[in-house]
Amino acid sequence: MDIKATIKSSDTEEWLDKVFTRPIGYMWTLLFKALGVHPNVVTVLSMILGATAAVFFMFDADTPRGIMLNIVGVLLLMWANFFDSADGQLARLTGKKTQLGRILDGTAGDIWFFCIYVAIAIRLYPHNIPFTHFQWYLWGFPLCYISGVCFHARQSALADYYRNIHLYFLKGADGSELDNYRQQYAIYKAARFRDDPIWKFFMWTYYKYTHGQEQQTPQFQRLMQTLREKYHGGMPPREFRDEFRRNSLPLMKWANILTFNTRAIALYVFCLTDIPWAYPLFEMTVMAAIHLYMRHRHEAFCKEMRENLL
């Protein structure tokens, strides 16, 4: 099977993924397929690699040894990302796509960056806050918490949501992973903790994740409600879907920036140049501006398209 068959859509693929990450991930995919490895196992391996990479970002890069340790961290995180690419490709190639796999795949990046934020806070601990005589001590932890939870998590969730929305109107429900909060909450409530506590926990995190996505997109939620009422729960006509794609497509480049590659490159640069404190600031400024711009544009055209339906 060709590599193109394992990719969701060229509309939502980032250039660096197409020319670098996906081809390498595909080689791992073929190996895992030959070995009979389940996609979820690959996802867990990517979690372990990403968490291990974070350990090497704890070291200052002010000596040759420190630089080499940070380079090891870079290589391990790249390896984790290849596996993260391979798990989805393997699931599509083998037909072993499951909701647990979808949730695990989304959790992998969270685990990587949780560990990385902790590593950065530990690395900052003995150093002075830039342009002051005060040491970071424990202040690095709230900085990284705010950056990770209040900015990074919201940005990545919205970017993922917009890509799945785009795929929904491009390929239909079967070609997208567009989930809604009410359905996921119902699955969570139906799950019995004593029967499968791990599944119950994952569904608890996932329904909250989808709820957060919907809270960020009120105009899109109103548009979807109008479409459900107008077309009785079915897909809207091709003309509407094509118009949505034309509006959504220019925003996919911003959604891709808010996912992994741009963050990773910034992390590598700031850690290797020994200014790790700049990474949380990058999240809270540059990435925050892109997030706000993307959200404003998407909400604006959803509102306009809904008004045209009424």
Side-chain angles (χ1 to χ4, degrees):
M1 184 181 290
D2 187 80
I3 187 174
K4 292 180 180 178
T6 68
I7 294 174
K8 294 178 181 179
S9 164
S10 60
D11 278 10
T12 56
E13 286 292 317
E14 192 173 3
W15 174 82
L16 187 59
D17 284 336
K18 286 191 281 190
V19 302
F20 181 62
T21 307
R22 296 299 186 194
I24 295 176
Y26 187 61
M27 290 190 288
W28 282 109
T29 298
L30 295 178
L31 175 62
F32 290 133
K33 182 176 182 290
L35 295 174
V37 178
H38 195 280
N40 292 353
V41 174
V42 181
T43 305
V44 173
L45 290 174
S46 81
M47 293 178 182
I48 295 170
L49 286 168
T52 304
V55 175
F56 292 89
F57 292 124
M58 288 194 301
F59 297 94
D60 294 335
D62 55 354
T63 64
R65 178 178 177 275
I67 292 172
M68 286 305 302
L69 289 171
N70 276 261
I71 290 173
V72 171
V74 169
L75 295 175
L76 285 172
L77 191 56
M78 290 173 64
W79 192 1
N81 193 40
F82 295 145
F83 276 19
D84 187 55
S85 175
D87 63 8
Q89 293 182 88
L90 183 62
R92 287 184 284 277
L93 189 64
T94 60
K96 296 178 179 178
K97 295 173 64 176
T98 64
Q99 187 174 33
L100 178 60
R102 156 81 171 143
I103 298 170
L104 281 173
D105 188 50
T107 304
D110 295 338
I111 290 176
W112 302 348
F113 278 96
F114 171 81
C115 296
I116 287 167
Y117 283 123
V118 171
I120 289 174
I122 293 172
R123 180 169 171 171
L124 291 176
Y125 187 91
H127 297 287
N128 285 353
I129 297 173
F131 316 114
T132 76
H133 298 294
F134 301 101
Q135 283 187 267
W136 279 101
Y137 291 122
L138 295 176
W139 288 108
F141 288 94
L143 172 70
C144 289
Y145 176 85
I146 292 169
S147 175
V149 174
C150 301
F151 288 87
H152 181 156
R154 286 173 57 83
Q155 295 161 8
S156 295
L158 190 64
D160 177 62
Y161 195 48
Y162 281 164
R163 293 202 296 189
N164 278 304
I165 290 170
H166 187 89
L167 288 170
Y168 175 80
F169 285 98
L170 179 66
K171 292 187 167 186
D174 292 338
S176 170
E177 295 172 338
L178 185 62
D179 296 322
N180 70 68
Y181 157 71
R182 289 182 178 83
Q183 290 175 344
Q184 303 314 308
Y185 183 71
I187 296 171
Y188 162 75
K189 291 294 288 183
R192 294 165 64 90
F193 183 83
R194 65 182 180 183
D195 293 338
D196 195 339
I198 295 176
W199 173 248
K200 183 79 170 179
F201 171 75
F202 275 121
M203 285 311 305
W204 176 75
T205 62
Y206 192 57
Y207 93 73
K208 287 185 172 294
Y209 176 76
T210 55
H211 193 208
Q213 289 176 320
E214 293 180 9
Q215 285 181 319
Q216 289 197 74
T217 54
Q219 294 298 337
F220 173 71
Q221 303 309 320
R222 294 188 184 101
L223 173 63
M224 287 297 287
Q225 181 61 34
T226 301
L227 289 174
R228 284 190 289 268
E229 293 170 356
K230 187 176 181 67
Y231 299 107
H232 309 290
M235 290 296 293
R238 171 59 64 181
E239 294 78 11
F240 182 91
R241 292 162 60 191
D242 288 344
E243 182 185 357
F244 192 97
R245 178 178 178 270
R246 283 193 297 271
N247 285 316
S248 175
L249 187 58
L251 299 182
M252 289 303 99
K253 62 178 177 291
W254 303 114
N256 287 331
I257 287 172
L258 290 175
T259 52
F260 177 77
N261 289 326
T262 302
R263 295 181 194 278
I265 292 169
L267 175 72
Y268 302 156
V269 170
F270 293 138
C271 285
L272 288 170
T273 55
D274 208 30
I275 50 172
W277 51 266
Y279 179 72
L281 296 184
F282 172 77
E283 297 271 14
M284 294 188 286
T285 53
V286 175
M287 300 297 261
I290 292 171
H291 169 253
L292 291 173
Y293 170 76
M294 179 183 70
R295 182 175 179 269
H296 170 74
R297 286 281 306 276
H298 200 279
E299 287 285 278
F301 84 70
C302 286
K303 180 180 180 181
E304 181 179 350
M305 291 186 72
R306 177 175 178 268
E307 289 172 350
N308 291 338
L309 287 171
L310 299 175

